mmCIF file with all atom_site columns, all heavy atoms in Angstrom:
data_model
loop_
_atom_site.group_PDB
_atom_site.id
_atom_site.type_symbol
_atom_site.label_atom_id
_atom_site.label_alt_id
_atom_site.label_comp_id
_atom_site.label_asym_id
_atom_site.label_entity_id
_atom_site.label_seq_id
_atom_site.pdbx_PDB_ins_code
_atom_site.Cartn_x
_atom_site.Cartn_y
_atom_site.Cartn_z
_atom_site.occupancy
_atom_site.B_iso_or_equiv
_atom_site.pdbx_formal_charge
_atom_site.auth_seq_id
_atom_site.auth_comp_id
_atom_site.auth_asym_id
_atom_site.auth_atom_id
_atom_site.pdbx_PDB_model_num
ATOM 1  N N   . ILE A 1 8  ? -8.950  -14.590 -131.136 1.00 0.00 ? 14 ILE A N   1
ATOM 2  C CA  . ILE A 1 8  ? -7.984  -13.612 -130.763 1.00 0.00 ? 14 ILE A CA  1
ATOM 3  C C   . ILE A 1 8  ? -8.284  -12.305 -131.445 1.00 0.00 ? 14 ILE A C   1
ATOM 4  O O   . ILE A 1 8  ? -8.228  -11.274 -130.795 1.00 0.00 ? 14 ILE A O   1
ATOM 5  C CB  . ILE A 1 8  ? -6.569  -14.013 -131.049 1.00 0.00 ? 14 ILE A CB  1
ATOM 6  C CG1 . ILE A 1 8  ? -6.154  -15.222 -130.202 1.00 0.00 ? 14 ILE A CG1 1
ATOM 7  C CG2 . ILE A 1 8  ? -5.515  -12.906 -130.852 1.00 0.00 ? 14 ILE A CG2 1
ATOM 8  C CD1 . ILE A 1 8  ? -4.927  -15.952 -130.514 1.00 0.00 ? 14 ILE A CD1 1
ATOM 9  N N   . GLY A 1 9  ? -8.587  -12.334 -132.663 1.00 0.00 ? 15 GLY A N   1
ATOM 10 C CA  . GLY A 1 9  ? -9.038  -11.078 -133.362 1.00 0.00 ? 15 GLY A CA  1
ATOM 11 C C   . GLY A 1 9  ? -10.224 -10.388 -132.809 1.00 0.00 ? 15 GLY A C   1
ATOM 12 O O   . GLY A 1 9  ? -10.265 -9.150  -132.757 1.00 0.00 ? 15 GLY A O   1
ATOM 13 N N   . ILE A 1 10 ? -11.165 -11.138 -132.505 1.00 0.00 ? 16 ILE A N   1
ATOM 14 C CA  . ILE A 1 10 ? -12.490 -10.663 -131.842 1.00 0.00 ? 16 ILE A CA  1
ATOM 15 C C   . ILE A 1 10 ? -12.130 -10.057 -130.496 1.00 0.00 ? 16 ILE A C   1
ATOM 16 O O   . ILE A 1 10 ? -12.614 -8.836  -130.122 1.00 0.00 ? 16 ILE A O   1
ATOM 17 C CB  . ILE A 1 10 ? -13.567 -11.620 -131.757 1.00 0.00 ? 16 ILE A CB  1
ATOM 18 C CG1 . ILE A 1 10 ? -14.094 -11.982 -133.145 1.00 0.00 ? 16 ILE A CG1 1
ATOM 19 C CG2 . ILE A 1 10 ? -14.724 -11.185 -130.894 1.00 0.00 ? 16 ILE A CG2 1
ATOM 20 C CD1 . ILE A 1 10 ? -15.133 -13.126 -133.226 1.00 0.00 ? 16 ILE A CD1 1
ATOM 21 N N   . VAL A 1 11 ? -11.264 -10.698 -129.637 1.00 0.00 ? 17 VAL A N   1
ATOM 22 C CA  . VAL A 1 11 ? -10.988 -10.136 -128.328 1.00 0.00 ? 17 VAL A CA  1
ATOM 23 C C   . VAL A 1 11 ? -10.152 -8.884  -128.540 1.00 0.00 ? 17 VAL A C   1
ATOM 24 O O   . VAL A 1 11 ? -10.554 -7.883  -127.789 1.00 0.00 ? 17 VAL A O   1
ATOM 25 C CB  . VAL A 1 11 ? -10.162 -11.275 -127.529 1.00 0.00 ? 17 VAL A CB  1
ATOM 26 C CG1 . VAL A 1 11 ? -9.598  -10.610 -126.307 1.00 0.00 ? 17 VAL A CG1 1
ATOM 27 C CG2 . VAL A 1 11 ? -11.073 -12.427 -127.194 1.00 0.00 ? 17 VAL A CG2 1
ATOM 28 N N   . PHE A 1 12 ? -9.108  -8.840  -129.251 1.00 0.00 ? 18 PHE A N   1
ATOM 29 C CA  . PHE A 1 12 ? -8.226  -7.649  -129.505 1.00 0.00 ? 18 PHE A CA  1
ATOM 30 C C   . PHE A 1 12 ? -9.057  -6.501  -130.072 1.00 0.00 ? 18 PHE A C   1
ATOM 31 O O   . PHE A 1 12 ? -8.997  -5.350  -129.725 1.00 0.00 ? 18 PHE A O   1
ATOM 32 C CB  . PHE A 1 12 ? -6.980  -7.936  -130.186 1.00 0.00 ? 18 PHE A CB  1
ATOM 33 C CG  . PHE A 1 12 ? -5.936  -8.512  -129.450 1.00 0.00 ? 18 PHE A CG  1
ATOM 34 C CD1 . PHE A 1 12 ? -5.285  -9.692  -129.920 1.00 0.00 ? 18 PHE A CD1 1
ATOM 35 C CD2 . PHE A 1 12 ? -5.641  -8.113  -128.295 1.00 0.00 ? 18 PHE A CD2 1
ATOM 36 C CE1 . PHE A 1 12 ? -4.216  -10.290 -129.210 1.00 0.00 ? 18 PHE A CE1 1
ATOM 37 C CE2 . PHE A 1 12 ? -4.532  -8.647  -127.520 1.00 0.00 ? 18 PHE A CE2 1
ATOM 38 C CZ  . PHE A 1 12 ? -3.788  -9.792  -128.002 1.00 0.00 ? 18 PHE A CZ  1
ATOM 39 N N   . GLY A 1 13 ? -9.870  -6.821  -131.086 1.00 0.00 ? 19 GLY A N   1
ATOM 40 C CA  . GLY A 1 13 ? -10.741 -5.842  -131.659 1.00 0.00 ? 19 GLY A CA  1
ATOM 41 C C   . GLY A 1 13 ? -11.745 -5.121  -130.695 1.00 0.00 ? 19 GLY A C   1
ATOM 42 O O   . GLY A 1 13 ? -11.880 -3.970  -130.700 1.00 0.00 ? 19 GLY A O   1
ATOM 43 N N   . THR A 1 14 ? -12.315 -6.024  -129.853 1.00 0.00 ? 20 THR A N   1
ATOM 44 C CA  . THR A 1 14 ? -13.236 -5.492  -128.883 1.00 0.00 ? 20 THR A CA  1
ATOM 45 C C   . THR A 1 14 ? -12.558 -4.558  -127.888 1.00 0.00 ? 20 THR A C   1
ATOM 46 O O   . THR A 1 14 ? -13.022 -3.457  -127.578 1.00 0.00 ? 20 THR A O   1
ATOM 47 C CB  . THR A 1 14 ? -13.922 -6.616  -127.987 1.00 0.00 ? 20 THR A CB  1
ATOM 48 O OG1 . THR A 1 14 ? -14.619 -7.374  -129.074 1.00 0.00 ? 20 THR A OG1 1
ATOM 49 C CG2 . THR A 1 14 ? -14.930 -6.119  -127.068 1.00 0.00 ? 20 THR A CG2 1
ATOM 50 N N   . LEU A 1 15 ? -11.320 -5.011  -127.434 1.00 0.00 ? 21 LEU A N   1
ATOM 51 C CA  . LEU A 1 15 ? -10.645 -4.236  -126.382 1.00 0.00 ? 21 LEU A CA  1
ATOM 52 C C   . LEU A 1 15 ? -10.156 -2.863  -127.020 1.00 0.00 ? 21 LEU A C   1
ATOM 53 O O   . LEU A 1 15 ? -10.156 -1.856  -126.375 1.00 0.00 ? 21 LEU A O   1
ATOM 54 C CB  . LEU A 1 15 ? -9.355  -4.984  -125.920 1.00 0.00 ? 21 LEU A CB  1
ATOM 55 C CG  . LEU A 1 15 ? -9.764  -6.239  -125.049 1.00 0.00 ? 21 LEU A CG  1
ATOM 56 C CD1 . LEU A 1 15 ? -8.513  -7.020  -124.633 1.00 0.00 ? 21 LEU A CD1 1
ATOM 57 C CD2 . LEU A 1 15 ? -10.457 -5.766  -123.695 1.00 0.00 ? 21 LEU A CD2 1
ATOM 58 N N   . LEU A 1 16 ? -9.656  -2.990  -128.229 1.00 0.00 ? 22 LEU A N   1
ATOM 59 C CA  . LEU A 1 16 ? -9.108  -1.708  -128.917 1.00 0.00 ? 22 LEU A CA  1
ATOM 60 C C   . LEU A 1 16 ? -10.268 -0.810  -129.268 1.00 0.00 ? 22 LEU A C   1
ATOM 61 O O   . LEU A 1 16 ? -10.182 0.426   -129.193 1.00 0.00 ? 22 LEU A O   1
ATOM 62 C CB  . LEU A 1 16 ? -8.351  -1.999  -130.198 1.00 0.00 ? 22 LEU A CB  1
ATOM 63 C CG  . LEU A 1 16 ? -7.081  -2.694  -129.902 1.00 0.00 ? 22 LEU A CG  1
ATOM 64 C CD1 . LEU A 1 16 ? -6.318  -3.141  -131.265 1.00 0.00 ? 22 LEU A CD1 1
ATOM 65 C CD2 . LEU A 1 16 ? -6.086  -1.703  -129.199 1.00 0.00 ? 22 LEU A CD2 1
ATOM 66 N N   . ALA A 1 17 ? -11.390 -1.340  -129.689 1.00 0.00 ? 23 ALA A N   1
ATOM 67 C CA  . ALA A 1 17 ? -12.571 -0.485  -129.965 1.00 0.00 ? 23 ALA A CA  1
ATOM 68 C C   . ALA A 1 17 ? -12.988 0.258   -128.777 1.00 0.00 ? 23 ALA A C   1
ATOM 69 O O   . ALA A 1 17 ? -13.498 1.395   -128.890 1.00 0.00 ? 23 ALA A O   1
ATOM 70 C CB  . ALA A 1 17 ? -13.664 -1.316  -130.621 1.00 0.00 ? 23 ALA A CB  1
ATOM 71 N N   . ASN A 1 18 ? -12.988 -0.373  -127.619 1.00 0.00 ? 24 ASN A N   1
ATOM 72 C CA  . ASN A 1 18 ? -13.471 0.243   -126.403 1.00 0.00 ? 24 ASN A CA  1
ATOM 73 C C   . ASN A 1 18 ? -12.352 1.191   -125.675 1.00 0.00 ? 24 ASN A C   1
ATOM 74 O O   . ASN A 1 18 ? -12.744 1.719   -124.574 1.00 0.00 ? 24 ASN A O   1
ATOM 75 C CB  . ASN A 1 18 ? -14.012 -0.757  -125.477 1.00 0.00 ? 24 ASN A CB  1
ATOM 76 C CG  . ASN A 1 18 ? -15.323 -1.256  -126.010 1.00 0.00 ? 24 ASN A CG  1
ATOM 77 O OD1 . ASN A 1 18 ? -16.158 -0.667  -126.676 1.00 0.00 ? 24 ASN A OD1 1
ATOM 78 N ND2 . ASN A 1 18 ? -15.502 -2.647  -125.884 1.00 0.00 ? 24 ASN A ND2 1
ATOM 79 N N   . THR A 1 19 ? -11.185 1.061   -126.169 1.00 0.00 ? 25 THR A N   1
ATOM 80 C CA  . THR A 1 19 ? -10.158 1.912   -125.555 1.00 0.00 ? 25 THR A CA  1
ATOM 81 C C   . THR A 1 19 ? -9.661  2.918   -126.500 1.00 0.00 ? 25 THR A C   1
ATOM 82 O O   . THR A 1 19 ? -9.987  4.088   -126.472 1.00 0.00 ? 25 THR A O   1
ATOM 83 C CB  . THR A 1 19 ? -8.965  1.045   -125.015 1.00 0.00 ? 25 THR A CB  1
ATOM 84 O OG1 . THR A 1 19 ? -8.478  0.214   -126.110 1.00 0.00 ? 25 THR A OG1 1
ATOM 85 C CG2 . THR A 1 19 ? -9.396  0.194   -123.881 1.00 0.00 ? 25 THR A CG2 1
#
Side-chain angles (χ1 to χ4, degrees):
I14 291 170
I16 289 174
V17 169
F18 280 132
T20 302
L21 292 173
L22 287 174
N24 291 321
T25 55

